[in-house]
Amino acid sequence: MSITVRAPAKINLHLGVGAPRADGFHPLVTVYQALGLCDDVTVTPSATWTLAVTVPDWMDADAVPAAGDNIVDAAARLLAEHHGIASQAAVSITKSIPVAGGMAGGSADAAAALVALDRLWELGTHDDDLLRIAAELGSDVPFALLGGTALGTGRGERVERLPDPTTWWWVVVPSAQGLSTPAVYRRFDELSPDTPAEPTDARAVLLALSTGNPEILAGALHNDLESAALDLRPDLADLLELGESSGALRGLVSGSGPTCVFLTPDADAARGVAARLSEHHDVVLVTNGPVAGAHAVSYG
Ligand code: C5P
């Protein structure tokens, strides 16, 4: 018996960041969108706990946290503890989401593992408990369970689905070198010491989503972490400019970066932008969103 669960990468169409809270986390008002760039987690019964990772040829396998330190280890441990059982399974992660890229790849793996192990261990965990365990694992993990397009508040862990009937076409350019999320938040604090406690609201993006018009959405995209990411990685500014001069409506750093995403008018335009970016960058991906959150793709 084996179960495979797929979970999506996220981008932030709006990322409003407030001044750090007493617990060190930053209050967020964010609009997440799940993209069709996904990791798969496969689980099979085993008398022990093992974790293996497979990466595409363009990804550095050493950048993926090793077994024991991987967020999937923690996900299994928390789920097993919640039910008072032993954490035993053979788990294999097949990565497609850039590592340390600002697309919540680790969070996707954690969400997929929770859903897969819940099935394997026949636990029938209540959705509210699954979301609570997800939030404990990381700010983006509840969204990876939910998918679609959603408003995120709190430290990003409180998620609420948003209507988003349009298919939006994106070009994604990962970076060979990752960025540490805490380091980007630290740089944000240094660059913006007077940030108000209340993050900027997402009104413009919510309105743009309701129009279904990519040009309007392009004008509304907003990321408060972008200047911090660009400060740590000035080369990304050239990439954003190149994408926009190659036909993208707008380029944006994804979350804490360094992955850059480009909104395009439609699928054909996305392929055109990707072809031009490919002349300068080794890995250029075309995808769309919104797509579903963590869900089983093979069972049996
Ligand atoms: O929640 P998660 O484990 O993904 O967060 C990773 C790090 O990113 C945190 O330790 C913190 O430094 C930073 N972070 C933050 N405010 C948030 C989310 C993350 O400062 N809302």
Side-chain angles (χ1 to χ4, degrees):
M1 177 199 193
S2 129
I3 302 161
T4 299
V5 173
R6 179 163 293 172
K10 64 84 186 161
I11 54 175
N12 304 82
L13 307 180
H14 175 90
L15 182 51
V17 182
R21 314 187 303 201
D23 65 0
F25 283 93
H26 294 70
L28 303 183
V29 172
T30 188
V31 177
Y32 293 110
Q33 186 172 87
L35 297 193
L37 180 61
C38 296
D39 283 359
D40 284 353
V41 172
T42 299
V43 297
T44 54
S46 168
T48 59
W49 171 256
T50 58
L51 181 63
V53 182
T54 309
V55 301
D57 53 9
W58 54 265
M59 201 181 280
D60 175 14
D62 294 337
V64 182
D69 282 334
N70 195 288
I71 190 169
V72 167
D73 297 293
R77 207 161 43 235
L78 282 189
L79 184 66
E81 268 169 28
H82 177 70
H83 292 278
I85 60 170
S87 178
Q88 295 174 336
V91 180
S92 135
I93 307 172
T94 305
K95 299 234 28 114
S96 296
I97 306 172
V99 180
M103 298 192 86
S107 302
D109 300 346
L114 288 177
V115 172
L117 293 170
D118 182 61
R119 290 251 189 135
L120 182 74
W121 294 335
E122 298 179 344
L123 301 171
T125 312
H126 192 282
D127 281 354
D128 290 346
D129 291 330
L130 221 48
L131 283 165
R132 195 182 41 71
I133 294 169
E136 216 173 304
L137 288 162
S139 307
D140 298 328
V141 183
F143 174 69
L145 285 174
L146 190 68
T149 301
L151 184 68
T153 53
R155 56 179 232 275
E157 89 286 14
R158 289 212 306 259
V159 285
E160 194 184 320
R161 188 178 291 284
L162 290 169
D164 185 12
T166 311
T167 294
W168 309 93
W169 285 90
W170 298 92
V171 176
V172 175
V173 184
S175 193
Q177 200 73 41
L179 262 181
S180 138
T181 301
V184 175
Y185 273 103
R186 267 198 307 276
R187 196 79 195 103
F188 170 82
D189 291 339
E190 287 160 9
L191 292 173
S192 329
D194 300 323
T195 299
E198 192 72 24
T200 50
D201 70 49
R203 213 170 313 169
V205 159
L206 299 185
L207 202 67
L209 287 175
S210 71
T211 69
N213 181 330
E215 285 185 25
I216 297 178
L217 182 59
L221 296 172
H222 177 87
N223 180 0
D224 275 341
L225 291 182
E226 186 166 85
S227 44
L230 291 177
D231 189 70
L232 293 168
R233 286 284 305 274
D235 58 303
L236 299 179
D238 296 337
L239 169 56
L240 293 175
E241 217 174 282
L242 183 65
E244 290 182 353
S245 65
S246 301
L249 298 171
R250 176 86 186 272
L252 190 78
V253 171
S254 175
S256 57
T259 305
C260 288
V261 294
F262 298 89
L263 182 60
T264 63
D266 53 36
D268 278 347
R271 282 188 278 270
V273 171
R276 284 185 285 280
L277 284 171
S278 298
E279 292 166 15
H280 304 270
H281 291 268
D282 289 343
V283 187
V284 179
L285 310 163
V286 173
T287 187
N288 62 35
V291 302
H295 61 284
V297 288
S298 123
Y299 189 89

